[in-house]
Amino acid sequence: MAKPAQGAKYRGSIHDFPGFDPNQDAEALYTAMKGFGSDKEAILDIITSRSNRQRQEICQSYKSLYGKDLIADLKYELTGKFERLIVGLMRPPAYCDAKEIKDAISGIGTDEKCLIEILASRTNEQMHQLVAAYKDAYERDLEADIIGDTSGHFQKMLVVLLQGTREKDDVVSEDLVQQDVQDLYEAGELKWGTDEAQFIYILGNRSKQHLRLVFDEYLKTTGKPIEASIRGELSGDFEKLMLAVVKCIRSTPEYFAERLFKAMKGLGTRDNTLIRIMVSRSELDMLDIREIFRTKYEKSLYSMIKNDTSGEYKKSLLKLCGGDDDAAGQFFPEAAQVAYQMWELSAVARVELKGTVRPANDFNPDADAKALRKAMKGLGTDEDTIIDIITHRSNAQRQQIRQTFKSHFGRDLMTDLKSEISGDLARLILGLMMPPAHYDAKQLKKAMEGAGTDEKALIEILATRTNAEIRAINEAYKEDYHKSLEDALSSDTSGHFRRILISLATGNREEGGENLDQAREDAQVAAEILEIADTPSGDKTSLETRFMTILCTRSYPHLRRVFQEFIKMTNYDVEHTIKKEMSGDVRDAFVAIVQSVKNKPLFFADKLYKSMKGAGTDEKTLTRIMVSRSEIDLLNIRREFIEKYDKSLHQAIEGDTSGDFLKALLALCGGED
């Protein structure tokens, strides 16, 4: 078992078993496997309740008592995932890693994800132990085997990591930090092509503390996180490896929390990944992984394992997990620190927003108008031409086409399109043909029409638009429907939810920077209204009004500071607290505001993912976001989508839609990431 650093707190979930007797455990295991069948419950109870050091003593006692190899007997008696998990626990950690790597490079094909996970996350000491264990177990040189099974820059970085020579964290030079930032910038962003050797040298050798400072300075200097530059400059397995290294430098437990979540989300479970992580981290940092998992994914690791696995396999994994963080309903100080760092990153990031649809070069509205008329004339409709023209022109160019169409043919292009196309394609194409403010106004009108109200659409639009966009929507609504947006919201919603929407619909959000003293006062109000302040003050109605005013009118930079101060004051993240303490449409509106402040492209990426996951597709939400964000930040949304969901937006659309609607959506999406 790896020992924590001097003075460090032990963060594993498995501890030495008190009153341990290796002979007694060996006898109990022998009895559990004796005769017909095996007592799996007894096996899992013993092995998951002992530390790795104690398991090695049990192996020795078993051989002394019975002249047999315990691991061989366990392999014979057990099967499947349960066998893989139990046998993994019985091996010393370095030998377990060695076996995983041997399996990853044996046979046809290579499991690059396994290689990346192990070699990107292990310490110098763990790497040296791994190399020695591989040599001892297989009488082969690990470096030679990896060179024989990989290639290019991916191979070079793996070999660098394998040396286990990362510098110690003892001394950090500010001058060297600045130099590394400059070298990385010049090797990637400022260079035609990429100098991969600089990335390999710096990320493969510098200490973790040094690199964290490099990443912070890189963000301040370039306005983008190092991860964005890696995605832009590198590709394939090399890109994935470098991103994994960066994640482990920032927070190894967060890297594993993300790997565990991806192993269990969606259909099917990546059991090899799940087993490998639960075994390898159970005596290192499982408690940290659990805490971060709970913060990032709003559910405990325990509950996700419980819902995603079964039988003795599930029972063993839950024992390794060590507890259900949902049961206490609390967030841990370590998780609060992670939430604080997320807000810090949000506060300093200067991300350039980019759409996927840009003005067409050599634009000719006359030619486009004629081509569209031809596509709709006579029998049948040429949908491909309509899609190609409309999805590859900016909205301003589409308005010119509408005017030219009317001038040439005395006909209204929108009316002709309505008569020629239908269904989801019609909603998408007609939406693209409308000026953005009029499109949003129409979406709000539809959300309030007929029986029932589409509160999610109201929230999505009003919580995410800028002041200028909100003011334009108000004008468009008045012009198109001869009624103010405020009157419409007043008649169709009620209570606190109505007050929130009307406040957002005024478009009066402050546009300045942060005010630290005011931010602390605002954080105190948030803590009181969410009922976690030590000293509540003022009546609740007054506090509710002030909380609404803070979220609906303070500037984004100021709110980021408020949310950071909230964490420092309470050890809670404001988003999770709102979800826990509030309910209904009010909760959803406030959460949307918070998520938009933190990372608006990610907010829309989540909405797109939810519109396409599970049975059926929410075409209205999908269409609304693809139309409204195509010229604003759809490229950023694409990047957030692939980062969070491990597949591209292009792939998700392709797997969930069909026909001409699919073609039009992919044209707007703008490419495969």
Side-chain angles (χ1 to χ4, degrees), residues 341-352:
Q341 288 159 9
M342 288 177 183
W343 281 111
E344 189 88 308
L345 188 62
S346 172
V348 297
R350 299 192 304 275
V351 178
E352 183 185 359

Side-chain angles (χ1 to χ4, degrees), residues 412-446:
D412 181 66
L413 177 55
M414 295 284 280
T415 304
D416 281 7
L417 287 167
K418 279 181 188 176
S419 67
E420 293 293 330
I421 55 178
S422 60
D424 295 325
L425 178 64
R427 276 191 289 273
L428 181 67
I429 294 297
L430 292 169
L432 289 168
M433 290 304 304
M434 297 177 74
H438 289 265
Y439 179 72
D440 277 346
K442 184 172 183 180
Q443 296 307 302
L444 290 168
K445 181 77 163 61
K446 282 183 170 294

